[in-house]
Amino acid sequence: MEKPHADLTREKILSSAFCEIHRKGFQAASLADILEATGLTKGALYYHFPTKQALGLAVVDEVVRTRLEERIFAPVRGAQRPLDRLVEVIEGIARESDAQGVALGCPLNNLMQEMSPLDEAFKERLSAILETWREVVRSALARAQARGEARDDFDCGAAALFIVAAFEGCIGVAKNMQSVEAFRSCMRQLANFVVTLKADRS
Amino acid sequence: MEKPHADLTREKILSSAFCEIHRKGFQAASLADILEATGLTKGALYYHFPTKQALGLAVVDEVVRTRLEERIFAPVRGAQRPLDRLVEVIEGIARESDAQGVALGCPLNNLMQEMSPLDEAFKERLSAILETWREVVRSALARAQARGEARDDFDCGAAALFIVAAFEGCIGVAKNMQSVEAFRSCMRQLANFVVTLKADRS
DNA sequence: CCCATTACATACCACTTGGTATGTTCTGTC
DNA sequence: GACAGAACATACCAAGTGGTATGTAATGGG
C-alpha cells in the first residue's frame, strides 16, 4: 500500500518552494519561509530532501519542466500545421499573461540566469529543459519545411535557438518594465518573425 | 584641491563590487568578498556608501550604464547609416565575446532579472538604462526609415523593443548553455532579422 | 606647530541562514 | 496490543550576513 499522505506533504513543499523560488530566486529563497507557507517544519523538509540544492533540483525537474511541457512543448509537438501552431502558442502566452505573471517572469529563465554560472547540477538540468524546448521548435520548423508550410532557405536549428532566446528575452524585458502591454507588443514582434519563415504561396 | 586618493578607493570598491555582482548577483554578493579583493575594510566601504543597496545602485549608474554607453549606445547614436551600424554592433559583440563573458552574461540583464521584482529603486535605474537602449535603437530605425535605408512598414518603437529583448535573450540562453558558438549563432539570427528591415532596393 | 576633518581600520553586534540531532506521533504488522 | 519503522516536530548550532561604534593615521589650513 502506498502512502499518499507522505507524497502529499512532499508535493506541498515542492509547490511552496516553487512559489518562493519564483519570487525571490533560489539563493534568496528561505527554507523557513517555504515551510511557513505550508505549516510544516524542517523535520518534514529534510526527511524528503537531503539538502536545499536537492529541493531546488526537484522543483526544476518536477514543477518547472512539467509546466513548460504542458503549456508549450506538448501543444507544439502534435500540431498538423507546426508553424501556425507555433504562432498560436506565442500569441496565446501573450494573451493569457497577467501583471503578476509578467512581473515574476519565466521560472526557467530566472533560474538559468541565477544558477547556471554557480551550480553545475542546476545548469545541466536547466540546460536539458532548454534543449528540449529548442528541439521541439526545431522539429516543428523541420516538419513545416517538409510540408511546404515554411521556406527552406533557413537553418532550423539556428532559427529554433533564436526563437527560444527571443521568447525568453521578451519575458525578461517585460519583467523589468513590469508592463503587460510591452510584453504583448514584444511577443507580437516575435510572432511576426515566425510568420516571415512561412513559404510564399504565389 | 580635489582628493584623488579618496576617489580612487571609491572606484576600487565600485570596480570590485561590479565584478562580484556580475559573478554572483547582487544579493549573493558578499561585502566581505568585495572588500577582500580590494584589500580595504568595512570602514572604507561605509564611508563612501551608506548601505549595500546604495553601493549596488552606484554600480548600476556608474559602471553598468557607462559600459553599455561606450560599447553600444554611442556607436549607434552617431551613425550615418544607422541600420548597417546596428548590424555591425551586433556582429561585433558576437565576434569579440569570449567564454568567460558568455558564461557571466550581461550585467544589465542579470540585475534586471534578479532585482526588478524585489527593489523598486533598482528597477527604476535598470529600467531607465533599458529605455535609453530602446530609444537609441528606435531613433536609429527612425533615421534609417527617413533616409530610405529601412522599409517604412513597421513600428520603430515595437521593433526596437524586440531587438533589445532578443539581444538580451541571446545572451541569456548562451549564458546557460555556456557556449560561445551558440551565442554567435543566435546573434547572427538577430542580425539577420535586422537586415530584413532594410528597404528593398529594386 | 596645532588642530579639525577626512579617510580609513578594527572590533563588535544582532540576525538569519542551511543543516543536524533528538524527540515524538502516527501507522501498519504480526 | 506490543513493536518497528515511517513521518514528522522541536531545539539547537556554527557560520556568514549587513551594519555600527569606536579607534587611528593621514592631510591640509591657520
Side-chain angles (χ1 to χ4, degrees):
Chain A
M1 177 178 171
E2 76 277 20
K3 296 132 191 169
H5 187 48
D7 288 0
L8 190 138
T9 63
R10 192 190 126 95
E11 285 188 20
K12 270 168 64 174
I13 294 176
L14 228 50
S15 169
S16 175
F18 171 76
C19 269
E20 183 82 0
I21 292 174
H22 197 188
R23 296 228 167 95
K24 307 183 182 173
F26 175 75
Q27 300 182 93
S30 163
L31 297 183
D33 291 353
I34 292 175
L35 291 169
E36 193 185 11
T38 65
L40 298 167
T41 62
K42 287 196 174 179
L45 207 178
Y46 280 93
Y47 176 78
H48 289 281
F49 305 96
T51 170
K52 190 192 180 187
Q53 173 184 339
L55 172 62
L57 294 178
V59 167
V60 170
D61 284 340
E62 304 180 31
V63 185
V64 176
R65 169 176 274 278
T66 302
R67 281 169 54 106
L68 286 174
E69 185 67 39
E70 292 172 354
R71 303 188 181 188
I72 300 185
F73 302 169
V76 173
R77 258 196 262 266
Q80 306 91 322
R81 297 182 58 85
L83 247 182
D84 286 340
R85 176 62 62 84
L86 210 55
V87 174
E88 284 173 22
V89 168
I90 292 170
E91 287 174 346
I93 298 284
R95 200 181 316 115
E96 295 161 11
S97 64
D98 57 346
Q100 188 187 352
V102 167
L104 290 180
C106 170
L108 176 66
N109 194 37
N110 293 357
L111 284 171
M112 287 196 310
Q113 302 310 316
E114 180 189 4
M115 299 304 296
S116 286
L118 299 180
D119 190 294
E120 190 70 17
F122 266 95
K123 183 221 154 192
E124 286 178 13
R125 317 275 181 127
L126 296 166
S127 201
I129 299 181
L130 190 70
E131 195 54 42
T132 18
W133 193 349
R134 180 189 183 180
E135 174 55 26
V136 164
V137 175
R138 193 205 60 77
S139 167
L141 294 178
R143 280 179 299 152
Q145 280 185 341
R147 292 182 72 258
E149 189 187 3
R151 290 160 24 202
D152 54 357
D153 62 341
F154 64 89
D155 177 7
C156 291
L161 181 61
F162 177 70
I163 290 173
V164 174
F167 195 104
E168 296 288 27
C170 290
I171 299 182
V173 298
K175 172 182 172 184
N176 172 258
M177 300 171 74
Q178 295 187 6
S179 159
V180 182
E181 197 174 352
F183 176 59
R184 293 190 176 140
S185 162
C186 212
M187 292 292 275
R188 211 171 299 131
Q189 293 287 318
L190 175 58
N192 285 345
F193 170 77
V194 176
V195 169
T196 66
L197 301 181
K198 275 197 177 183
D200 325 314
R201 41 177 172 281
S202 56
Chain B
M1 176 179 172
E2 75 277 20
K3 295 132 191 171
H5 187 48
D7 288 0
L8 189 138
T9 64
R10 193 189 123 96
E11 287 189 16
K12 270 168 63 176
I13 295 176
L14 229 50
S15 169
S16 175
F18 170 76
C19 270
E20 184 81 359
I21 293 173
H22 196 187
R23 296 231 166 94
K24 306 185 183 175
F26 175 75
Q27 299 181 95
S30 162
L31 297 183
D33 291 353
I34 292 175
L35 291 169
E36 193 186 10
T38 65
L40 297 167
T41 63
K42 287 197 176 179
L45 207 178
Y46 280 94
Y47 175 79
H48 290 280
F49 305 96
T51 170
K52 189 192 180 186
Q53 172 184 337
L55 173 61
L57 294 177
V59 167
V60 170
D61 285 338
E62 304 180 33
V63 185
V64 176
R65 170 176 274 278
T66 302
R67 281 169 54 107
L68 285 174
E69 185 68 38
E70 292 173 355
R71 303 189 182 190
I72 300 185
F73 302 168
V76 173
R77 257 195 263 266
Q80 307 92 323
R81 298 182 58 83
L83 247 182
D84 287 339
R85 176 61 62 84
L86 211 54
V87 174
E88 285 174 21
V89 168
I90 292 171
E91 288 175 344
I93 298 284
R95 198 182 315 114
E96 295 161 10
S97 64
D98 56 346
Q100 188 187 353
V102 167
L104 290 180
C106 170
L108 176 66
N109 193 38
N110 294 356
L111 284 172
M112 287 196 308
Q113 302 310 317
E114 180 188 4
M115 299 305 295
S116 286
L118 299 180
D119 191 293
E120 190 71 16
F122 266 95
K123 182 219 154 190
E124 286 178 14
R125 316 275 180 127
L126 295 167
S127 202
I129 299 181
L130 189 70
E131 195 53 43
T132 316
W133 193 348
R134 179 190 184 180
E135 174 55 25
V136 165
V137 175
R138 194 206 60 78
S139 167
L141 294 178
R143 280 179 299 152
Q145 280 184 340
R147 292 181 72 257
E149 189 188 4
R151 292 159 23 201
D152 55 358
D153 62 341
F154 64 89
D155 177 7
C156 290
L161 181 60
F162 177 70
I163 290 173
V164 174
F167 195 104
E168 296 288 27
C170 290
I171 299 182
V173 298
K175 172 182 172 184
N176 172 258
M177 302 172 70
Q178 296 187 6
S179 159
V180 182
E181 197 174 352
F183 176 60
R184 290 187 178 145
S185 162
C186 211
M187 291 293 275
R188 214 171 298 133
Q189 294 287 318
L190 175 58
N192 284 345
F193 170 77
V194 176
V195 169
T196 66
L197 300 180
K198 274 196 177 183
D200 327 312
R201 42 176 170 282
S202 57

